[in-house]
Amino acid sequence: MKQWYALILAVIAEVTGTTMMKILGGRESIEGYFFIFGMIGLSYFLLSKAITLIPMSTAYAVWEGLGLMIITAIGCLMFKETLPLPKLVGFSAILLGIFLLKTGTTGGEKHE
């Protein structure tokens, strides 16, 4: 179970780092870049902890898919980016895929 917590924290770290790229990317602040790299690095570290018991394909799909969904929501809400119907359909397919991967993984996981 703690691997799933690590995976969720990895998603949060990745989303934070990616959002900060948009916010700080235009500035020449070295501290901002250290923060961005730190969050992305933390995300990969936590992902590496998650795949110790979660199948790698499932963990990576969840990490990337949830990150994409959250970043899309942040883009729409904070930065007024548009979400046309084809994108919305695509993201729905990603969510369905994550759900199917998660439900089909229970037999292949290692247990502590």
Side-chain angles (χ1 to χ4, degrees), residues 16-81:
T16 302
T18 304
T19 303
M20 295 312 288
M21 281 183 207
K22 179 77 171 178
I23 293 170
L24 300 175
R27 301 182 188 144
E28 294 301 320
S29 165
I30 192 72
E31 295 87 6
Y33 286 110
F34 276 120
F35 181 77
I36 292 166
F37 292 142
M39 293 308 292
I40 301 286
L42 177 62
S43 178
Y44 275 96
F45 171 77
L46 291 167
L47 180 61
S48 75
K49 295 301 177 189
I51 64 172
T52 59
L53 291 180
I54 301 171
M56 187 169 42
S57 60
T58 302
Y60 190 78
V62 169
W63 177 75
E64 195 64 41
L66 285 179
L68 176 63
M69 299 302 295
I70 296 168
I71 285 296
T72 300
I74 289 171
C76 290
L77 297 173
M78 286 181 63
F79 304 111
K80 308 298 182 218
E81 296 175 0

